[in-house]
Amino acid sequence: MLHRKERILDNIPVGSLGIIAVDGCQEMGARVNDYLVRWRKEDESANKDHIVFNGYEKDTYLIDAKVPRFGSGEAKGIIEESVRGMDLYLMVDVCNYSLTYSLTGNINHMSPDDHFQNLKRIIAAVGGKARRLNVIMPFLYESRQHKRSGRESLDCALALQELVRMGVDNIITFDAHDPRVQNAIPLSGFETIRPTYQFVKGLLDNVKDLQIDSEHMMAISPDEGATERAIYLANVLGLDMGMFYKRRDYTRVVDGRNPIVAHEFLGSSVEGKDVIILDDMISSGDSILDVAGQLKARKAKRIYAAATFGLFTNGMGKFDKAYEDGLLDGVLTTNLIYQSPELLSRPYYINCDMSKYIALVIDTLNHDGSISSILDPSERIQNIVQKYKNGEDF
């Protein structure tokens, strides 16, 4: 992992650091805050006592903010302390469906729309008093609706423009479904970060007998959209890459899309090889399981599925069966979005923690430093693989 001490943080901070973890993102916010508090207490910089570093070292960087609701279901954002002149980082998890609110006596689960509205309420409560506004939205709101086919709304583009109009300077997201959505806000800061390093680390931590070379391992893209992810991993690890493409029935529309008829495979033989299937999200999981079934039919050895966001919209039943049947050997997702207790309890699940990574990004941006070294993990992946091969701790 890239350590804080390996980066030069001599720049004057943009402003006193503040983190607002919007309802539903408090657990991740607390983890990120713990790293920042510890790092800044350990920091031996001679400049810490200078006036421009006022508020640099604190017991917590979390700002007390909440979004209470009226009985009618309406809500308002409240910030309980001063944020004037601060460099604010607002963290929001639009996928946390575990939160509920009462609407005329009925219990409603919060949707991505509700979380996005809460984010805007907090921005409105800041009232333009912060020096800089940064939004960390791991799962980019409405990012699955990134292009038009026919008369359709472009919700993600609209949401990004709305945030920028409200005064947001930087938007940081992870593994955006299509990074080209940033074209909607070409003059504003937009970063999409891929957790490839965390996937590699999670796999190497949990599987001790991998042979990482093109003879024994392959990176697989489950569809044409994820090809770039698989190519990157294959290049960094020196593996072969294969891909599936979805053959759809364009004569029918089911649930707003053309149904998939089959997954067709392009690539060299997977026989006897361990494979990693890479994607940005697992929604229902049907695609990943279908691909895993086809790989097993082609005599793949062990199959691991890695996706940045584990939504598991249809529950864990199908994955449990796939694991029991020997179809899947492991599932890796990050803690960037809400993880259900059912998911965390599964023996085949590997959790990839992203809190230190987010803390590094916040710490560097607060110093107005370059995050390019954080965004490109190729060197760190090579280092960890070398240690794995040498039997060293990492």
Side-chain angles (χ1 to χ4, degrees), residues 208-235:
K208 296 302 178 189
D209 60 343
L210 290 170
Q211 289 178 273
I212 305 167
D213 58 54
S214 57
E215 296 291 313
H216 301 92
M217 214 170 173
M218 263 182 96
I220 301 290
S221 168
D223 55 38
E224 57 277 22
T227 310
E228 198 185 324
R229 296 178 186 89
I231 288 172
Y232 179 77
L233 186 72
N235 285 338

PDB file of all heavy atoms in Angstrom, residues 208-235:
ATOM      1  N   LYS A 208      -3.418 -19.013  -0.862  1.00  0.00           N
ATOM      2  CA  LYS A 208      -1.967 -19.064  -0.661  1.00  0.00           C
ATOM      3  C   LYS A 208      -1.209 -19.866  -1.718  1.00  0.00           C
ATOM      4  O   LYS A 208       0.013 -19.930  -1.686  1.00  0.00           O
ATOM      5  CB  LYS A 208      -1.660 -19.643   0.731  1.00  0.00           C
ATOM      6  CG  LYS A 208      -2.159 -18.765   1.876  1.00  0.00           C
ATOM      7  CD  LYS A 208      -1.559 -17.370   1.803  1.00  0.00           C
ATOM      8  CE  LYS A 208      -2.069 -16.454   2.901  1.00  0.00           C
ATOM      9  NZ  LYS A 208      -1.656 -15.055   2.704  1.00  0.00           N
ATOM     10  N   ASP A 209      -1.910 -20.496  -2.670  1.00  0.00           N
ATOM     11  CA  ASP A 209      -1.199 -21.357  -3.625  1.00  0.00           C
ATOM     12  C   ASP A 209      -1.421 -20.937  -5.073  1.00  0.00           C
ATOM     13  O   ASP A 209      -1.448 -21.766  -5.973  1.00  0.00           O
ATOM     14  CB  ASP A 209      -1.632 -22.819  -3.431  1.00  0.00           C
ATOM     15  CG  ASP A 209      -3.128 -23.009  -3.651  1.00  0.00           C
ATOM     16  OD1 ASP A 209      -3.866 -22.006  -3.629  1.00  0.00           O
ATOM     17  OD2 ASP A 209      -3.558 -24.165  -3.860  1.00  0.00           O
ATOM     18  N   LEU A 210      -1.580 -19.625  -5.302  1.00  0.00           N
ATOM     19  CA  LEU A 210      -1.764 -19.144  -6.674  1.00  0.00           C
ATOM     20  C   LEU A 210      -0.428 -19.114  -7.411  1.00  0.00           C
ATOM     21  O   LEU A 210       0.594 -18.747  -6.834  1.00  0.00           O
ATOM     22  CB  LEU A 210      -2.360 -17.724  -6.662  1.00  0.00           C
ATOM     23  CG  LEU A 210      -3.812 -17.577  -6.197  1.00  0.00           C
ATOM     24  CD1 LEU A 210      -4.143 -16.105  -6.012  1.00  0.00           C
ATOM     25  CD2 LEU A 210      -4.774 -18.206  -7.202  1.00  0.00           C
ATOM     26  N   GLN A 211      -0.451 -19.502  -8.672  1.00  0.00           N
ATOM     27  CA  GLN A 211       0.718 -19.349  -9.537  1.00  0.00           C
ATOM     28  C   GLN A 211       0.396 -18.246 -10.541  1.00  0.00           C
ATOM     29  O   GLN A 211      -0.409 -18.423 -11.446  1.00  0.00           O
ATOM     30  CB  GLN A 211       1.026 -20.671 -10.250  1.00  0.00           C
ATOM     31  CG  GLN A 211       1.576 -21.729  -9.307  1.00  0.00           C
ATOM     32  CD  GLN A 211       1.818 -23.040 -10.038  1.00  0.00           C
ATOM     33  OE1 GLN A 211       0.923 -23.867 -10.167  1.00  0.00           O
ATOM     34  NE2 GLN A 211       3.032 -23.229 -10.526  1.00  0.00           N
ATOM     35  N   ILE A 212       1.026 -17.089 -10.324  1.00  0.00           N
ATOM     36  CA  ILE A 212       0.640 -15.896 -11.084  1.00  0.00           C
ATOM     37  C   ILE A 212       1.492 -15.785 -12.341  1.00  0.00           C
ATOM     38  O   ILE A 212       2.529 -15.123 -12.366  1.00  0.00           O
ATOM     39  CB  ILE A 212       0.754 -14.639 -10.187  1.00  0.00           C
ATOM     40  CG1 ILE A 212      -0.070 -14.839  -8.916  1.00  0.00           C
ATOM     41  CG2 ILE A 212       0.256 -13.392 -10.928  1.00  0.00           C
ATOM     42  CD1 ILE A 212       0.198 -13.840  -7.830  1.00  0.00           C
ATOM     43  N   ASP A 213       1.058 -16.483 -13.368  1.00  0.00           N
ATOM     44  CA  ASP A 213       1.686 -16.380 -14.684  1.00  0.00           C
ATOM     45  C   ASP A 213       0.676 -16.836 -15.731  1.00  0.00           C
ATOM     46  O   ASP A 213      -0.370 -17.385 -15.400  1.00  0.00           O
ATOM     47  CB  ASP A 213       2.983 -17.202 -14.751  1.00  0.00           C
ATOM     48  CG  ASP A 213       2.744 -18.679 -14.430  1.00  0.00           C
ATOM     49  OD1 ASP A 213       1.874 -19.298 -15.076  1.00  0.00           O
ATOM     50  OD2 ASP A 213       3.425 -19.204 -13.528  1.00  0.00           O
ATOM     51  N   SER A 214       1.004 -16.616 -16.993  1.00  0.00           N
ATOM     52  CA  SER A 214       0.038 -16.877 -18.066  1.00  0.00           C
ATOM     53  C   SER A 214      -0.242 -18.362 -18.273  1.00  0.00           C
ATOM     54  O   SER A 214      -1.223 -18.733 -18.910  1.00  0.00           O
ATOM     55  CB  SER A 214       0.516 -16.246 -19.377  1.00  0.00           C
ATOM     56  OG  SER A 214       1.794 -16.754 -19.706  1.00  0.00           O
ATOM     57  N   GLU A 215       0.608 -19.225 -17.709  1.00  0.00           N
ATOM     58  CA  GLU A 215       0.384 -20.669 -17.835  1.00  0.00           C
ATOM     59  C   GLU A 215      -0.701 -21.154 -16.879  1.00  0.00           C
ATOM     60  O   GLU A 215      -1.341 -22.171 -17.133  1.00  0.00           O
ATOM     61  CB  GLU A 215       1.695 -21.430 -17.520  1.00  0.00           C
ATOM     62  CG  GLU A 215       2.831 -21.160 -18.477  1.00  0.00           C
ATOM     63  CD  GLU A 215       2.557 -21.738 -19.853  1.00  0.00           C
ATOM     64  OE1 GLU A 215       2.134 -22.900 -19.932  1.00  0.00           O
ATOM     65  OE2 GLU A 215       2.737 -20.998 -20.844  1.00  0.00           O
ATOM     66  N   HIS A 216      -0.866 -20.464 -15.764  1.00  0.00           N
ATOM     67  CA  HIS A 216      -1.739 -20.969 -14.704  1.00  0.00           C
ATOM     68  C   HIS A 216      -2.903 -20.048 -14.351  1.00  0.00           C
ATOM     69  O   HIS A 216      -3.714 -20.398 -13.504  1.00  0.00           O
ATOM     70  CB  HIS A 216      -0.912 -21.211 -13.427  1.00  0.00           C
ATOM     71  CG  HIS A 216       0.198 -22.188 -13.611  1.00  0.00           C
ATOM     72  ND1 HIS A 216       1.476 -21.789 -13.960  1.00  0.00           N
ATOM     73  CD2 HIS A 216       0.215 -23.543 -13.534  1.00  0.00           C
ATOM     74  CE1 HIS A 216       2.255 -22.867 -14.058  1.00  0.00           C
ATOM     75  NE2 HIS A 216       1.515 -23.938 -13.815  1.00  0.00           N
ATOM     76  N   MET A 217      -2.987 -18.876 -14.950  1.00  0.00           N
ATOM     77  CA  MET A 217      -3.991 -17.907 -14.519  1.00  0.00           C
ATOM     78  C   MET A 217      -4.469 -17.065 -15.690  1.00  0.00           C
ATOM     79  O   MET A 217      -3.710 -16.797 -16.632  1.00  0.00           O
ATOM     80  CB  MET A 217      -3.375 -16.999 -13.452  1.00  0.00           C
ATOM     81  CG  MET A 217      -4.328 -16.552 -12.395  1.00  0.00           C
ATOM     82  SD  MET A 217      -3.378 -15.760 -11.070  1.00  0.00           S
ATOM     83  CE  MET A 217      -4.704 -15.141 -10.090  1.00  0.00           C
ATOM     84  N   MET A 218      -5.739 -16.602 -15.628  1.00  0.00           N
ATOM     85  CA  MET A 218      -6.293 -15.740 -16.676  1.00  0.00           C
ATOM     86  C   MET A 218      -7.196 -14.680 -16.067  1.00  0.00           C
ATOM     87  O   MET A 218      -7.837 -14.907 -15.045  1.00  0.00           O
ATOM     88  CB  MET A 218      -7.117 -16.567 -17.671  1.00  0.00           C
ATOM     89  CG  MET A 218      -6.371 -16.963 -18.925  1.00  0.00           C
ATOM     90  SD  MET A 218      -7.413 -17.873 -20.051  1.00  0.00           S
ATOM     91  CE  MET A 218      -7.933 -16.563 -21.137  1.00  0.00           C
ATOM     92  N   ALA A 219      -7.219 -13.516 -16.707  1.00  0.00           N
ATOM     93  CA  ALA A 219      -8.186 -12.466 -16.342  1.00  0.00           C
ATOM     94  C   ALA A 219      -9.317 -12.521 -17.356  1.00  0.00           C
ATOM     95  O   ALA A 219      -9.074 -12.593 -18.561  1.00  0.00           O
ATOM     96  CB  ALA A 219      -7.514 -11.096 -16.369  1.00  0.00           C
ATOM     97  N   ILE A 220     -10.549 -12.492 -16.854  1.00  0.00           N
ATOM     98  CA  ILE A 220     -11.714 -12.654 -17.724  1.00  0.00           C
ATOM     99  C   ILE A 220     -12.640 -11.444 -17.604  1.00  0.00           C
ATOM    100  O   ILE A 220     -12.966 -11.008 -16.496  1.00  0.00           O
ATOM    101  CB  ILE A 220     -12.504 -13.933 -17.362  1.00  0.00           C
ATOM    102  CG1 ILE A 220     -11.626 -15.185 -17.488  1.00  0.00           C
ATOM    103  CG2 ILE A 220     -13.763 -14.069 -18.215  1.00  0.00           C
ATOM    104  CD1 ILE A 220     -11.246 -15.572 -18.891  1.00  0.00           C
ATOM    105  N   SER A 221     -13.053 -10.918 -18.747  1.00  0.00           N
ATOM    106  CA  SER A 221     -14.078  -9.871 -18.776  1.00  0.00           C
ATOM    107  C   SER A 221     -15.431 -10.523 -19.081  1.00  0.00           C
ATOM    108  O   SER A 221     -15.556 -11.238 -20.082  1.00  0.00           O
ATOM    109  CB  SER A 221     -13.735  -8.838 -19.855  1.00  0.00           C
ATOM    110  OG  SER A 221     -14.836  -7.987 -20.076  1.00  0.00           O
ATOM    111  N   PRO A 222     -16.452 -10.306 -18.226  1.00  0.00           N
ATOM    112  CA  PRO A 222     -17.749 -10.963 -18.441  1.00  0.00           C
ATOM    113  C   PRO A 222     -18.553 -10.365 -19.596  1.00  0.00           C
ATOM    114  O   PRO A 222     -19.521 -10.950 -20.054  1.00  0.00           O
ATOM    115  CB  PRO A 222     -18.475 -10.769 -17.116  1.00  0.00           C
ATOM    116  CG  PRO A 222     -17.882  -9.527 -16.546  1.00  0.00           C
ATOM    117  CD  PRO A 222     -16.451  -9.493 -17.002  1.00  0.00           C
ATOM    118  N   ASP A 223     -18.160  -9.168 -20.044  1.00  0.00           N
ATOM    119  CA  ASP A 223     -18.840  -8.547 -21.194  1.00  0.00           C
ATOM    120  C   ASP A 223     -17.903  -7.506 -21.806  1.00  0.00           C
ATOM    121  O   ASP A 223     -16.827  -7.216 -21.278  1.00  0.00           O
ATOM    122  CB  ASP A 223     -20.178  -7.905 -20.784  1.00  0.00           C
ATOM    123  CG  ASP A 223     -20.033  -6.896 -19.655  1.00  0.00           C
ATOM    124  OD1 ASP A 223     -19.021  -6.163 -19.648  1.00  0.00           O
ATOM    125  OD2 ASP A 223     -20.913  -6.833 -18.781  1.00  0.00           O
ATOM    126  N   GLU A 224     -18.342  -6.909 -22.908  1.00  0.00           N
ATOM    127  CA  GLU A 224     -17.476  -5.954 -23.615  1.00  0.00           C
ATOM    128  C   GLU A 224     -17.210  -4.697 -22.788  1.00  0.00           C
ATOM    129  O   GLU A 224     -16.163  -4.059 -22.922  1.00  0.00           O
ATOM    130  CB  GLU A 224     -18.072  -5.590 -24.984  1.00  0.00           C
ATOM    131  CG  GLU A 224     -19.478  -5.021 -24.969  1.00  0.00           C
ATOM    132  CD  GLU A 224     -20.592  -6.064 -24.911  1.00  0.00           C
ATOM    133  OE1 GLU A 224     -20.332  -7.196 -24.484  1.00  0.00           O
ATOM    134  OE2 GLU A 224     -21.729  -5.728 -25.265  1.00  0.00           O
ATOM    135  N   GLY A 225     -18.141  -4.338 -21.897  1.00  0.00           N
ATOM    136  CA  GLY A 225     -17.994  -3.125 -21.092  1.00  0.00           C
ATOM    137  C   GLY A 225     -16.873  -3.207 -20.066  1.00  0.00           C
ATOM    138  O   GLY A 225     -16.317  -2.194 -19.669  1.00  0.00           O
ATOM    139  N   ALA A 226     -16.547  -4.426 -19.626  1.00  0.00           N
ATOM    140  CA  ALA A 226     -15.527  -4.593 -18.580  1.00  0.00           C
ATOM    141  C   ALA A 226     -14.160  -4.967 -19.153  1.00  0.00           C
ATOM    142  O   ALA A 226     -13.231  -5.269 -18.398  1.00  0.00           O
ATOM    143  CB  ALA A 226     -15.989  -5.668 -17.585  1.00  0.00           C
ATOM    144  N   THR A 227     -14.030  -4.927 -20.472  1.00  0.00           N
ATOM    145  CA  THR A 227     -12.788  -5.379 -21.124  1.00  0.00           C
ATOM    146  C   THR A 227     -11.562  -4.626 -20.625  1.00  0.00           C
ATOM    147  O   THR A 227     -10.509  -5.219 -20.357  1.00  0.00           O
ATOM    148  CB  THR A 227     -12.899  -5.204 -22.656  1.00  0.00           C
ATOM    149  OG1 THR A 227     -14.118  -5.779 -23.096  1.00  0.00           O
ATOM    150  CG2 THR A 227     -11.749  -5.871 -23.364  1.00  0.00           C
ATOM    151  N   GLU A 228     -11.696  -3.308 -20.484  1.00  0.00           N
ATOM    152  CA  GLU A 228     -10.548  -2.484 -20.078  1.00  0.00           C
ATOM    153  C   GLU A 228     -10.007  -2.907 -18.716  1.00  0.00           C
ATOM    154  O   GLU A 228      -8.793  -2.933 -18.497  1.00  0.00           O
ATOM    155  CB  GLU A 228     -10.975  -1.008 -20.038  1.00  0.00           C
ATOM    156  CG  GLU A 228      -9.806  -0.043 -20.049  1.00  0.00           C
ATOM    157  CD  GLU A 228     -10.249   1.404 -19.886  1.00  0.00           C
ATOM    158  OE1 GLU A 228     -11.330   1.762 -20.420  1.00  0.00           O
ATOM    159  OE2 GLU A 228      -9.528   2.149 -19.212  1.00  0.00           O
ATOM    160  N   ARG A 229     -10.908  -3.256 -17.779  1.00  0.00           N
ATOM    161  CA  ARG A 229     -10.485  -3.684 -16.438  1.00  0.00           C
ATOM    162  C   ARG A 229      -9.648  -4.962 -16.530  1.00  0.00           C
ATOM    163  O   ARG A 229      -8.611  -5.099 -15.891  1.00  0.00           O
ATOM    164  CB  ARG A 229     -11.705  -3.944 -15.549  1.00  0.00           C
ATOM    165  CG  ARG A 229     -12.537  -2.727 -15.266  1.00  0.00           C
ATOM    166  CD  ARG A 229     -13.764  -3.086 -14.416  1.00  0.00           C
ATOM    167  NE  ARG A 229     -14.622  -1.919 -14.274  1.00  0.00           N
ATOM    168  CZ  ARG A 229     -15.591  -1.614 -15.115  1.00  0.00           C
ATOM    169  NH1 ARG A 229     -15.861  -2.400 -16.135  1.00  0.00           N
ATOM    170  NH2 ARG A 229     -16.328  -0.528 -14.926  1.00  0.00           N
ATOM    171  N   ALA A 230     -10.141  -5.919 -17.323  1.00  0.00           N
ATOM    172  CA  ALA A 230      -9.450  -7.210 -17.455  1.00  0.00           C
ATOM    173  C   ALA A 230      -8.111  -7.042 -18.172  1.00  0.00           C
ATOM    174  O   ALA A 230      -7.117  -7.677 -17.800  1.00  0.00           O
ATOM    175  CB  ALA A 230     -10.339  -8.201 -18.198  1.00  0.00           C
ATOM    176  N   ILE A 231      -8.076  -6.179 -19.185  1.00  0.00           N
ATOM    177  CA  ILE A 231      -6.817  -5.929 -19.912  1.00  0.00           C
ATOM    178  C   ILE A 231      -5.776  -5.335 -18.955  1.00  0.00           C
ATOM    179  O   ILE A 231      -4.610  -5.734 -18.962  1.00  0.00           O
ATOM    180  CB  ILE A 231      -7.061  -4.975 -21.111  1.00  0.00           C
ATOM    181  CG1 ILE A 231      -7.838  -5.699 -22.219  1.00  0.00           C
ATOM    182  CG2 ILE A 231      -5.739  -4.447 -21.662  1.00  0.00           C
ATOM    183  CD1 ILE A 231      -8.284  -4.795 -23.360  1.00  0.00           C
ATOM    184  N   TYR A 232      -6.204  -4.384 -18.108  1.00  0.00           N
ATOM    185  CA  TYR A 232      -5.271  -3.754 -17.168  1.00  0.00           C
ATOM    186  C   TYR A 232      -4.689  -4.797 -16.206  1.00  0.00           C
ATOM    187  O   TYR A 232      -3.468  -4.876 -16.021  1.00  0.00           O
ATOM    188  CB  TYR A 232      -5.978  -2.645 -16.381  1.00  0.00           C
ATOM    189  CG  TYR A 232      -5.086  -1.969 -15.369  1.00  0.00           C
ATOM    190  CD1 TYR A 232      -4.143  -1.025 -15.767  1.00  0.00           C
ATOM    191  CD2 TYR A 232      -5.146  -2.298 -14.016  1.00  0.00           C
ATOM    192  CE1 TYR A 232      -3.303  -0.421 -14.855  1.00  0.00           C
ATOM    193  CE2 TYR A 232      -4.307  -1.697 -13.094  1.00  0.00           C
ATOM    194  CZ  TYR A 232      -3.386  -0.756 -13.513  1.00  0.00           C
ATOM    195  OH  TYR A 232      -2.546  -0.173 -12.604  1.00  0.00           O
ATOM    196  N   LEU A 233      -5.563  -5.616 -15.605  1.00  0.00           N
ATOM    197  CA  LEU A 233      -5.090  -6.624 -14.653  1.00  0.00           C
ATOM    198  C   LEU A 233      -4.172  -7.637 -15.347  1.00  0.00           C
ATOM    199  O   LEU A 233      -3.129  -8.010 -14.806  1.00  0.00           O
ATOM    200  CB  LEU A 233      -6.270  -7.351 -14.005  1.00  0.00           C
ATOM    201  CG  LEU A 233      -5.888  -8.333 -12.893  1.00  0.00           C
ATOM    202  CD1 LEU A 233      -5.430  -7.579 -11.651  1.00  0.00           C
ATOM    203  CD2 LEU A 233      -7.034  -9.262 -12.534  1.00  0.00           C
ATOM    204  N   ALA A 234      -4.555  -8.063 -16.555  1.00  0.00           N
ATOM    205  CA  ALA A 234      -3.751  -9.029 -17.304  1.00  0.00           C
ATOM    206  C   ALA A 234      -2.365  -8.450 -17.595  1.00  0.00           C
ATOM    207  O   ALA A 234      -1.344  -9.144 -17.453  1.00  0.00           O
ATOM    208  CB  ALA A 234      -4.458  -9.406 -18.599  1.00  0.00           C
ATOM    209  N   ASN A 235      -2.304  -7.183 -17.975  1.00  0.00           N
ATOM    210  CA  ASN A 235      -1.014  -6.546 -18.275  1.00  0.00           C
ATOM    211  C   ASN A 235      -0.141  -6.402 -17.040  1.00  0.00           C
ATOM    212  O   ASN A 235       1.064  -6.649 -17.077  1.00  0.00           O
ATOM    213  CB  ASN A 235      -1.240  -5.164 -18.909  1.00  0.00           C
ATOM    214  CG  ASN A 235      -1.683  -5.270 -20.358  1.00  0.00           C
ATOM    215  OD1 ASN A 235      -1.455  -6.271 -21.013  1.00  0.00           O
ATOM    216  ND2 ASN A 235      -2.314  -4.223 -20.860  1.00  0.00           N
TER     217      ASN A 235
END
